Coordinates of all heavy atoms in Angstrom, one line a residue:
Chain O
K13 N 16.3 10.7 -29.8 CA 17.7 10.9 -30.2 C 18.1 9.7 -31.1 O 17.5 8.7 -31.2 CB 18.6 10.9 -29.0 CG 18.4 12.1 -28.1 CD 19.1 13.3 -28.7 CE 19.0 14.5 -27.8 NZ 19.7 15.7 -28.4
T14 N 19.2 10.0 -31.8 CA 19.8 9.0 -32.7 C 20.9 8.3 -32.0 O 21.7 8.9 -31.2 CB 20.3 9.7 -34.0 OG1 19.2 10.4 -34.6 CG2 20.9 8.7 -35.0
R15 N 21.1 7.0 -32.3 CA 22.1 6.2 -31.8 C 23.5 6.9 -32.0 O 23.8 7.5 -33.0 CB 22.2 4.9 -32.5 CG 22.9 3.8 -31.8 CD 22.6 2.4 -32.4 NE 22.5 2.5 -33.9 CZ 22.3 1.5 -34.6 NH1 22.3 0.3 -34.1 NH2 22.2 1.6 -35.9
G16 N 24.3 7.0 -30.9 CA 25.6 7.6 -31.0 C 25.6 9.1 -30.5 O 26.7 9.6 -30.1
Q17 N 24.4 9.7 -30.4 CA 24.3 11.0 -29.9 C 24.4 11.0 -28.4 O 24.5 9.9 -27.7 CB 23.0 11.7 -30.3 CG 22.9 12.1 -31.8 CD 21.7 12.9 -32.1 OE1 20.6 12.5 -31.6 NE2 21.8 13.9 -32.8
Q18 N 24.4 12.2 -27.8 CA 24.3 12.3 -26.3 C 23.1 13.1 -25.9 O 22.5 13.8 -26.7 CB 25.6 12.9 -25.7 CG 25.7 14.4 -26.0 CD 26.7 15.1 -25.0 OE1 27.6 14.4 -24.5 NE2 26.7 16.4 -24.9
V19 N 22.7 12.9 -24.7 CA 21.5 13.6 -24.2 C 21.7 14.1 -22.7 O 22.5 13.5 -22.0 CB 20.3 12.6 -24.2 CG1 20.4 11.5 -23.3 CG2 19.0 13.4 -24.0
T20 N 21.1 15.2 -22.4 CA 21.2 15.7 -21.1 C 19.7 16.0 -20.6 O 18.9 16.6 -21.3 CB 21.9 17.1 -21.0 OG1 23.3 16.9 -21.4 CG2 21.9 17.6 -19.6
L21 N 19.4 15.4 -19.4 CA 18.1 15.5 -18.8 C 18.3 16.4 -17.5 O 19.3 16.3 -16.8 CB 17.6 14.2 -18.4 CG 17.6 13.1 -19.6 CD1 17.0 11.8 -19.1 CD2 16.7 13.6 -20.7
S22 N 17.2 17.2 -17.3 CA 17.3 18.1 -16.1 C 16.3 17.8 -15.1 O 15.2 17.3 -15.4 CB 17.2 19.5 -16.6 OG 17.2 20.4 -15.6
C23 N 16.6 18.1 -13.8 CA 15.7 17.8 -12.7 C 15.8 18.9 -11.7 O 16.9 19.2 -11.2 CB 16.0 16.5 -12.1 SG 15.1 16.1 -10.5
S24 N 14.6 19.5 -11.3 CA 14.6 20.5 -10.3 C 13.8 19.8 -9.1 O 12.7 19.5 -9.2 CB 13.8 21.7 -10.7 OG 14.6 22.4 -11.7
P25 N 14.5 19.6 -8.0 CA 13.9 19.0 -6.8 C 12.9 19.9 -6.1 O 12.8 21.1 -6.4 CB 15.1 18.6 -5.9 CG 16.0 19.7 -6.2 CD 15.9 20.0 -7.7
I26 N 12.1 19.3 -5.2 CA 11.3 20.1 -4.4 C 12.1 21.1 -3.5 O 13.2 20.7 -3.1 CB 10.5 19.2 -3.4 CG1 9.5 18.4 -4.3 CG2 9.7 20.0 -2.3 CD1 8.7 17.3 -3.5
S27 N 11.6 22.3 -3.4 CA 12.4 23.3 -2.7 C 12.8 22.8 -1.3 O 12.0 22.3 -0.5 CB 11.5 24.6 -2.5 OG 12.2 25.5 -1.8
G28 N 14.1 22.9 -1.0 CA 14.6 22.5 0.3 C 15.1 21.1 0.4 O 15.8 20.7 1.3
H29 N 14.9 20.3 -0.7 CA 15.4 18.9 -0.8 C 16.8 19.0 -1.3 O 17.1 19.5 -2.4 CB 14.5 18.1 -1.7 CG 13.2 17.7 -1.1 ND1 12.4 16.7 -1.6 CD2 12.6 18.2 0.0 CE1 11.3 16.6 -0.8 NE2 11.4 17.5 0.1
R30 N 17.8 18.4 -0.6 CA 19.1 18.4 -1.1 C 19.6 17.1 -1.7 O 20.6 17.0 -2.3 CB 20.0 18.7 0.1 CG 19.8 20.1 0.7 CD 20.4 20.3 2.1 NE 21.8 20.1 2.1 CZ 22.5 20.0 3.2 NH1 21.9 20.0 4.4 NH2 23.8 19.8 3.2
S31 N 18.8 16.0 -1.6 CA 19.1 14.7 -2.2 C 18.3 14.6 -3.5 O 17.1 14.7 -3.5 CB 18.7 13.6 -1.2 OG 18.7 12.4 -1.9
V32 N 19.0 14.3 -4.5 CA 18.4 14.0 -5.8 C 18.9 12.7 -6.3 O 20.1 12.4 -6.4 CB 18.7 15.1 -6.8 CG1 18.1 14.7 -8.2 CG2 18.1 16.4 -6.4
S33 N 18.0 11.8 -6.7 CA 18.3 10.5 -7.3 C 17.7 10.3 -8.7 O 16.7 11.0 -9.0 CB 17.8 9.4 -6.4 OG 18.2 9.5 -5.1
W34 N 18.4 9.5 -9.4 CA 17.9 9.2 -10.8 C 17.7 7.7 -10.9 O 18.5 6.9 -10.4 CB 19.0 9.6 -11.8 CG 19.1 11.1 -12.0 CD1 19.9 11.9 -11.2 CD2 18.4 12.0 -12.9 NE1 19.8 13.2 -11.7 CE2 18.8 13.3 -12.7 CE3 17.4 11.7 -13.9 CZ2 18.4 14.4 -13.4 CZ3 17.0 12.8 -14.6 CH2 17.4 14.1 -14.4
Y35 N 16.6 7.3 -11.7 CA 16.3 5.9 -12.0 C 16.0 5.8 -13.4 O 15.5 6.7 -14.1 CB 15.1 5.5 -11.1 CG 15.3 5.5 -9.6 CD1 15.3 6.6 -8.9 CD2 15.6 4.2 -9.0 CE1 15.5 6.6 -7.5 CE2 15.8 4.2 -7.6 CZ 15.8 5.4 -6.9 OH 16.0 5.3 -5.6
Q36 N 16.3 4.6 -13.9 CA 15.9 4.2 -15.3 C 14.8 3.2 -15.2 O 14.9 2.2 -14.4 CB 17.1 3.6 -16.0 CG 16.7 3.2 -17.5 CD 17.8 2.3 -18.1 OE1 18.0 1.2 -17.6 NE2 18.5 2.8 -19.1
Q37 N 13.7 3.3 -15.9 CA 12.6 2.3 -16.0 C 12.4 1.8 -17.4 O 12.2 2.6 -18.3 CB 11.3 2.9 -15.4 CG 10.2 1.9 -15.3 CD 9.0 2.5 -14.7 OE1 8.6 3.6 -14.8 NE2 8.2 1.6 -13.9
T38 N 12.5 0.5 -17.5 CA 12.3 -0.2 -18.8 C 11.4 -1.3 -18.5 O 11.3 -1.9 -17.4 CB 13.6 -0.7 -19.4 OG1 14.2 -1.6 -18.5 CG2 14.5 0.5 -19.7
P39 N 10.6 -1.8 -19.5 CA 9.7 -2.9 -19.3 C 10.4 -4.2 -18.9 O 9.9 -4.9 -18.1 CB 9.0 -3.1 -20.7 CG 9.2 -1.7 -21.4 CD 10.5 -1.2 -20.9
G40 N 11.6 -4.4 -19.4 CA 12.3 -5.6 -19.1 C 13.0 -5.6 -17.8 O 13.1 -6.6 -17.1
Q41 N 13.6 -4.5 -17.4 CA 14.4 -4.4 -16.2 C 13.8 -3.7 -15.0 O 14.3 -3.7 -13.9 CB 15.7 -3.7 -16.5 CG 16.6 -4.3 -17.6 CD 17.1 -5.6 -17.1 OE1 17.5 -5.8 -16.0 NE2 17.0 -6.6 -18.0
G42 N 12.6 -3.2 -15.2 CA 11.9 -2.5 -14.1 C 12.6 -1.2 -13.8 O 13.3 -0.6 -14.6
L43 N 12.5 -0.8 -12.5 CA 13.1 0.4 -12.0 C 14.5 0.2 -11.5 O 14.7 -0.6 -10.5 CB 12.3 1.1 -10.9 CG 11.2 2.0 -11.4 CD1 10.1 2.0 -10.4 CD2 11.8 3.4 -11.6
Q44 N 15.5 0.8 -12.1 CA 16.9 0.6 -11.6 C 17.5 1.9 -11.2 O 17.4 2.9 -11.9 CB 17.7 -0.1 -12.7 CG 17.3 -1.5 -13.0 CD 18.2 -2.2 -14.0 OE1 18.4 -1.8 -15.1 NE2 19.0 -3.1 -13.4
F45 N 18.2 1.9 -10.1 CA 18.9 3.1 -9.6 C 20.1 3.4 -10.4 O 21.0 2.5 -10.7 CB 19.3 2.8 -8.1 CG 20.1 3.8 -7.5 CD1 19.5 5.0 -7.0 CD2 21.5 3.7 -7.3 CE1 20.3 5.9 -6.3 CE2 22.2 4.6 -6.7 CZ 21.6 5.8 -6.2
L46 N 20.2 4.7 -10.8 CA 21.4 5.2 -11.5 C 22.4 5.8 -10.5 O 23.5 5.3 -10.5 CB 21.0 6.2 -12.5 CG 20.4 5.6 -13.8 CD1 19.5 6.7 -14.5 CD2 21.5 5.2 -14.8
F47 N 22.0 6.9 -9.9 CA 22.9 7.5 -8.9 C 22.1 8.5 -8.1 O 21.0 8.9 -8.4 CB 24.1 8.3 -9.6 CG 23.9 8.8 -11.0 CD1 22.9 9.8 -11.2 CD2 24.6 8.2 -12.1 CE1 22.7 10.2 -12.5 CE2 24.3 8.7 -13.4 CZ 23.4 9.7 -13.6
E48 N 22.8 8.9 -7.0 CA 22.2 9.9 -6.1 C 23.2 11.0 -5.8 O 24.4 10.7 -5.6 CB 21.8 9.3 -4.7 CG 21.2 10.3 -3.8 CD 21.3 9.8 -2.3 OE1 21.8 8.7 -2.0 OE2 20.7 10.6 -1.5
Y49 N 22.7 12.2 -5.7 CA 23.6 13.4 -5.4 C 23.0 14.0 -4.1 O 21.8 14.1 -3.9 CB 23.7 14.4 -6.5 CG 24.5 13.9 -7.7 CD1 24.0 13.1 -8.7 CD2 25.9 14.1 -7.7 CE1 24.8 12.6 -9.7 CE2 26.7 13.7 -8.7 CZ 26.1 12.9 -9.7 OH 26.9 12.3 -10.7
F50 N 24.0 14.5 -3.3 CA 23.6 15.2 -2.1 C 24.6 16.3 -1.9 O 25.8 16.0 -1.8 CB 23.6 14.2 -0.9 CG 23.2 14.9 0.4 CD1 21.9 15.1 0.7 CD2 24.2 15.4 1.3 CE1 21.5 15.7 1.9 CE2 23.8 16.0 2.5 CZ 22.5 16.1 2.8
S51 N 24.1 17.5 -1.8 CA 25.0 18.7 -1.6 C 26.2 18.6 -2.7 O 27.3 18.8 -2.3 CB 25.6 18.7 -0.2 OG 24.6 19.0 0.7
E52 N 25.8 18.4 -3.9 CA 26.7 18.5 -5.1 C 27.7 17.3 -5.1 O 28.6 17.3 -6.0 CB 27.5 19.8 -5.1 CG 26.6 21.1 -5.1 CD 27.4 22.4 -5.1 OE1 28.1 22.6 -6.1 OE2 27.3 23.1 -4.1
T53 N 27.5 16.3 -4.3 CA 28.5 15.2 -4.3 C 27.7 13.9 -4.6 O 26.6 13.7 -4.1 CB 29.1 15.0 -2.9 OG1 29.9 16.2 -2.6 CG2 30.1 13.9 -2.9
Q54 N 28.3 13.1 -5.4 CA 27.6 11.8 -5.7 C 27.8 10.9 -4.4 O 28.9 10.5 -4.0 CB 28.3 11.1 -6.9 CG 27.5 9.9 -7.4 CD 28.2 9.2 -8.6 OE1 29.1 8.4 -8.5 NE2 27.7 9.6 -9.7
R55 N 26.6 10.5 -3.9 CA 26.6 9.7 -2.7 C 26.5 8.2 -2.9 O 26.8 7.4 -2.1 CB 25.5 10.3 -1.7 CG 25.5 9.6 -0.4 CD 24.8 10.4 0.6 NE 23.4 10.5 0.4 CZ 22.5 11.1 1.3 NH1 23.0 11.7 2.4 NH2 21.2 11.3 1.0
N56 N 25.8 7.9 -4.0 CA 25.5 6.5 -4.3 C 25.6 6.3 -5.9 O 25.2 7.3 -6.6 CB 24.1 6.1 -3.9 CG 24.1 5.3 -2.6 OD1 24.7 4.3 -2.6 ND2 23.4 5.8 -1.6
K57 N 26.0 5.2 -6.3 CA 26.0 4.9 -7.7 C 25.5 3.5 -8.0 O 25.9 2.6 -7.3 CB 27.4 5.1 -8.3 CG 27.5 5.1 -9.8 CD 29.0 5.3 -10.2 CE 29.1 5.5 -11.7 NZ 28.5 4.4 -12.5
G58 N 24.7 3.4 -9.0 CA 24.2 2.1 -9.4 C 25.1 1.4 -10.4 O 26.2 1.9 -10.7
N59 N 24.7 0.3 -10.9 CA 25.5 -0.5 -11.8 C 25.3 -0.2 -13.3 O 24.7 -1.0 -14.0 CB 25.2 -2.0 -11.5 CG 26.3 -2.9 -12.1 OD1 27.4 -2.5 -12.4 ND2 25.9 -4.1 -12.4
F60 N 25.7 1.0 -13.7 CA 25.5 1.4 -15.0 C 26.9 1.8 -15.6 O 27.8 2.2 -14.9 CB 24.6 2.6 -15.1 CG 23.1 2.3 -15.1 CD1 22.5 2.0 -13.9 CD2 22.4 2.2 -16.3 CE1 21.1 1.6 -13.9 CE2 21.1 1.9 -16.3 CZ 20.4 1.6 -15.1
P61 N 27.0 1.7 -16.9 CA 28.3 2.0 -17.5 C 28.6 3.5 -17.4 O 27.8 4.3 -17.1 CB 28.1 1.6 -19.0 CG 26.7 1.5 -19.2 CD 26.1 1.2 -17.9
G62 N 29.9 3.8 -17.6 CA 30.4 5.2 -17.4 C 29.8 6.2 -18.4 O 29.9 7.4 -18.2
R63 N 29.0 5.7 -19.4 CA 28.3 6.6 -20.3 C 27.3 7.4 -19.6 O 26.8 8.4 -20.1 CB 27.7 5.8 -21.5 CG 28.6 5.0 -22.3 CD 27.9 4.4 -23.5 NE 26.9 3.4 -23.1 CZ 25.6 3.6 -23.2 NH1 25.1 4.8 -23.6 NH2 24.7 2.7 -22.8
F64 N 26.8 6.9 -18.5 CA 25.8 7.6 -17.7 C 26.5 8.4 -16.6 O 27.3 7.8 -15.8 CB 24.9 6.5 -17.0 CG 24.0 5.8 -18.0 CD1 24.5 4.7 -18.7 CD2 22.7 6.2 -18.2 CE1 23.7 4.0 -19.6 CE2 21.9 5.5 -19.1 CZ 22.4 4.4 -19.8
S65 N 26.3 9.7 -16.6 CA 26.9 10.5 -15.6 C 25.9 11.6 -15.1 O 24.8 11.8 -15.7 CB 28.1 11.2 -16.2 OG 27.8 12.0 -17.2
G66 N 26.2 12.2 -14.0 CA 25.3 13.2 -13.5 C 26.1 14.3 -12.8 O 27.3 14.2 -12.6
R67 N 25.4 15.3 -12.4 CA 25.9 16.3 -11.5 C 24.8 17.0 -10.8 O 23.7 17.0 -11.2 CB 26.8 17.3 -12.3 CG 26.1 18.0 -13.4 CD 27.1 19.0 -14.0 NE 26.5 19.7 -15.2 CZ 27.0 20.7 -15.8 NH1 28.2 21.2 -15.3 NH2 26.4 21.3 -16.8
Q68 N 25.2 17.7 -9.7 CA 24.2 18.5 -9.0 C 24.8 19.9 -8.8 O 26.0 20.0 -8.5 CB 23.9 17.9 -7.6 CG 22.8 18.6 -6.9 CD 22.5 17.9 -5.6 OE1 23.3 17.4 -4.9 NE2 21.2 18.0 -5.2

Side-chain angles (χ1 to χ4, degrees):
Chain O
K13 290 286 187 178
T14 303
R15 199 168 35 174
Q17 286 186 315
Q18 74 164 14
V19 67
T20 299
L21 308 178
S22 180
C23 172
S24 293
I26 291 172
S27 178
H29 288 193
R30 293 163 64 190
S31 166
V32 174
S33 304
W34 289 88
Y35 293 81
Q36 181 196 64
Q37 187 175 30
T38 59
Q41 299 295 318
L43 271 153
Q44 292 190 291
F45 173 81
L46 281 157
F47 28 66
E48 180 201 3
Y49 286 87
F50 181 84
S51 293
E52 301 180 66
T53 301
Q54 188 179 84
R55 182 159 71 174
N56 255 307
K57 189 178 190 306
N59 193 26
F60 278 80
R63 300 185 296 107
F64 292 81
S65 63
R67 59 177 176 168
Q68 187 180 32

